[in-house]
């Protein structure tokens, strides 16, 4: 499905600093694809409702297998086609949302792009029918909880030459993933109250095994770890490897799983551009066998915790140095690292402009809180998200 330029992985050489300038980009454009998970909320109550199977049946005529079930019946997922053009990607995402939104409307509900539901469902949500989901619900009952653990993410795929290249890129990109998490933060409310997190989805999702930073692995190491996780019963299957960066099991891509789903399409395109820019900027490091930047013990986990807690509005952590820095400074460093690849792809102007907008007006979490501050009601957050998700 997704394709990419890139060469074989080699070993050797000394590590680079996390803030070192990127080398010139010489490879072709990497392809990208996006999976978006959405909530379905009742049009009247604004609470999650389990009408996903009917919505997907309605959307299937146009979307086919690009519209998919998720763990709960109150969720649906869409998948874009692979492309190297970000304008094409944006058009595809908009079309998928439009079709799914109309299907939801036909079932008396609305499509919502938020990492967590602002309001709790009136009744416990049902797990989607199917043997795999049933087994997951039984084996991981503690993770499922009662009914309030529903979360929705945005998963960005970058085309690679194979699993070895995906893992090598994931190793190099690790220090930057907390910054992407902060930029994508869009889940401050859950169960009718502010959680205190910009990305509360991170805490909810962490109930599941393996959610978090990936271990540094090569291809043989991945095989050993993945096999052990399944054979030992930690996971049901390899599809349950929920690391923030992982090689896809069914297409030749690196999948970045750290972002909340966002109602604002420009934010989705910004995140995709940055993921592709980082991957492209590290391709030469991978091809030359450079090792990833060594990270301090525990620093990456703490960097993700701070990103989830504050988003763009507070301090973040550089996991390579252990230095606390304003999250916006870390975002500027990410931009500098990816800038040569962004410029080569023609994406730099858009990324600079949209990052300025996020710094000025705030991201998804700030927008949800602003709506709540004006009206004091979570139902108004839901309406605002619904309008933005489908472009009303």
């Amino acid at each position: 499905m997704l394709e990419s330029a890139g060469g074989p992985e080699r070993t050797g050489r000394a590590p680079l600093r996390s803030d070192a300038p990127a080398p010139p980009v010489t490879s072709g454009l990497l392809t990208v694809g996006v999976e978006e998970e959405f909530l379905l909320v009742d049009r009247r109550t604004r609470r999650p409702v389990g009408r996903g199977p009917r919505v997907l049946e309605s959307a299937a005529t146009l979307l086919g297998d690009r519209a998919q079930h998720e763990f709960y019946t109150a969720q649906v997922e869409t998948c874009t086609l692979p492309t190297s053009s970000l304008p094409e990607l944006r058009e595809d995402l908009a079309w998928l949302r439009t079709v799914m939104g109309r299907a939801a409307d036909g079932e008396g509900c609305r499509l919502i792009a938020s990492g967590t539901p602002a309001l709790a469902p009136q009744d416990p949500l049902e797990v989607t029918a199917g043997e795999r989901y049933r087994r997951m619900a039984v084996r991981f009952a503690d993770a499922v909880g009662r009914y309030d653990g529903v979360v929705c993410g945005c998963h960005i795929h970058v085309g690679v030459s194979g699993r070895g290249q995906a893992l090598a890129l994931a190793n190099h990109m690790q220090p930057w993933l907390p910054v992407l998490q902060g930029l994508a933060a869009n889940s401050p409310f859950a169960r009718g109250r502010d959680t205190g997190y910009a990305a509360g989805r991170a805490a909810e999702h962490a109930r599941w095994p393996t959610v978090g930073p990936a271990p540094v692995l090569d291809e043989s190491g991945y095989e050993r770890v993945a096999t052990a996780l399944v054979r030992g019963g930690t996971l049901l299957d390899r599809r349950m490897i929920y690391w923030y960066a992982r090689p896809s099991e069914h297409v030749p891509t690196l999948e970045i799983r750290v972002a909340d789903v966002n109602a604002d399409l420009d934010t989705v395109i910004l995140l995709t551009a940055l993921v592709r820019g980082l991957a492209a900027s590290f391709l030469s490091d991978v091809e030359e066998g450079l090792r990833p930047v060594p990270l301090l013990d525990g620093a990456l986990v703490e960097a993700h915790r701070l990103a989830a807690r504050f988003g763009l509005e507070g301090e973040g952590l550089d996991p390579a140095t252990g230095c606390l820095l304003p999250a916006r400074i870390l975002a500027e460093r990410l931009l500098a690292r990816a800038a040569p690849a962004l410029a080569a792809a023609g994406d730099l102007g858009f990324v600079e402009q949209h990052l300025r907008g996020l710094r000025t007006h705030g991201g998804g979490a700030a927008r949800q809180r602003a709506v709540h501050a004006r009206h004091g009601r979570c139902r108004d957050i839901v309406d605002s998200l619904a309008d933005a998700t489908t472009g009303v």
Side-chain angles (χ1 to χ4, degrees):
M1 293 176 64
L2 293 178
E3 306 168 347
S4 81
E9 182 181 8
R10 298 194 290 273
T11 59
R13 299 284 187 92
L16 292 175
R17 294 168 53 208
S18 62
D19 59 349
V25 175
T26 57
S27 56
L29 285 182
L30 301 173
T31 55
V32 291
V34 173
E35 298 168 346
E36 291 191 295
E37 299 166 348
F38 299 100
L39 291 164
L40 297 171
V41 300
D42 182 80
R43 180 173 289 279
R44 181 179 59 84
T45 67
R46 279 80 162 184
R47 297 177 183 273
V49 287
R51 297 173 193 158
R54 301 206 304 266
V55 170
L56 288 169
E57 183 179 0
S58 176
T61 302
L62 289 176
L63 302 186
D65 62 4
R66 297 176 64 198
Q68 299 180 3
H69 295 276
E70 257 300 322
F71 186 76
Y72 288 105
T73 59
Q75 296 172 282
V76 293
E77 181 181 69
T78 62
C79 308
T80 69
L81 296 173
T83 180
S84 59
S85 166
L86 293 187
E88 286 183 6
L89 178 69
R90 193 184 196 285
E91 183 178 356
D92 199 13
L93 285 165
W95 179 71
L96 290 167
R97 290 182 178 203
T98 297
V99 174
M100 194 67 80
R102 288 173 180 168
D105 187 64
E107 298 298 332
C109 52
R110 301 193 74 184
L111 195 72
I112 300 292
S114 180
T116 53
L119 293 169
Q122 288 183 320
D123 301 304
L125 295 179
E126 295 182 0
V127 174
T128 298
E131 178 63 17
R132 180 172 181 269
Y133 284 149
R134 184 195 67 79
R135 292 173 63 196
M136 287 173 64
V138 171
R139 184 182 296 185
F140 305 101
D142 289 344
V144 174
R146 289 172 59 230
Y147 57 80
D148 57 359
V150 57
V151 295
C152 291
C154 173
H155 305 152
I156 300 169
H157 290 255
V158 179
V160 294
S161 62
R163 182 169 292 166
Q165 188 181 81
L167 289 163
L169 287 173
N171 294 339
H172 281 276
M173 291 170 66
Q174 270 199 344
W176 304 107
L177 297 188
V179 185
L180 293 171
Q181 183 180 31
L183 291 171
N186 186 42
S187 49
F189 289 88
R191 299 176 289 281
R193 63 183 62 186
D194 194 319
T195 65
Y197 279 78
R201 165 182 166 269
E204 292 282 2
H205 199 205
R207 298 178 183 187
W208 291 90
T210 72
V211 172
V216 176
L217 298 170
D218 59 12
E219 195 164 3
S220 61
Y222 175 83
E223 287 299 320
R224 288 193 302 271
V225 170
T227 299
L229 287 170
V230 176
R231 286 182 179 174
T234 300
L235 303 179
L236 185 69
D237 52 39
R238 289 191 179 200
R239 291 163 62 190
M240 281 191 68
I241 296 176
Y242 294 146
W243 296 330
Y244 290 154
R246 71 177 187 184
S248 171
E249 286 291 329
H250 63 283
V251 288
T253 67
L254 168 63
E255 182 182 3
I256 303 300
R257 300 174 51 85
V258 75
D260 288 352
V261 68
N262 268 260
D264 176 45
L265 266 184
D266 282 339
T267 299
V268 181
I269 301 303
L270 169 71
L271 295 168
T272 305
L274 288 172
V275 167
R276 178 168 71 174
L278 284 173
S281 71
F282 283 119
L283 270 179
S284 60
D285 290 10
V286 170
E287 292 166 0
E288 294 174 20
L290 298 178
R291 298 186 185 94
V293 172
L295 306 181
L296 300 176
D297 289 345
L300 188 58
V301 171
E302 178 64 6
H304 278 291
R305 187 192 70 81
L306 290 173
R309 176 72 172 82
F310 298 113
L312 280 175
E313 303 306 316
E315 283 192 320
L317 182 72
D318 182 342
T321 66
C323 293
L324 288 170
L325 294 167
R328 298 183 182 209
I329 297 299
L330 293 172
E332 291 173 5
R333 288 187 175 185
L334 185 154
L335 175 60
R337 185 64 178 87
L342 292 169
D347 301 334
L348 183 58
F350 166 81
V351 169
E352 289 177 331
Q353 178 182 0
H354 198 66
L355 276 177
R356 283 196 300 271
L358 290 183
R359 286 195 294 267
T360 302
H361 305 294
R367 285 192 288 271
Q368 288 196 38
R369 284 171 168 149
V371 171
H372 190 264
R374 287 197 299 271
H375 303 288
R377 302 183 305 180
C378 283
R379 62 185 293 144
D380 293 302
I381 298 173
V382 176
D383 289 343
S384 175
L385 287 167
D387 290 347
T389 300
T390 54
V392 174

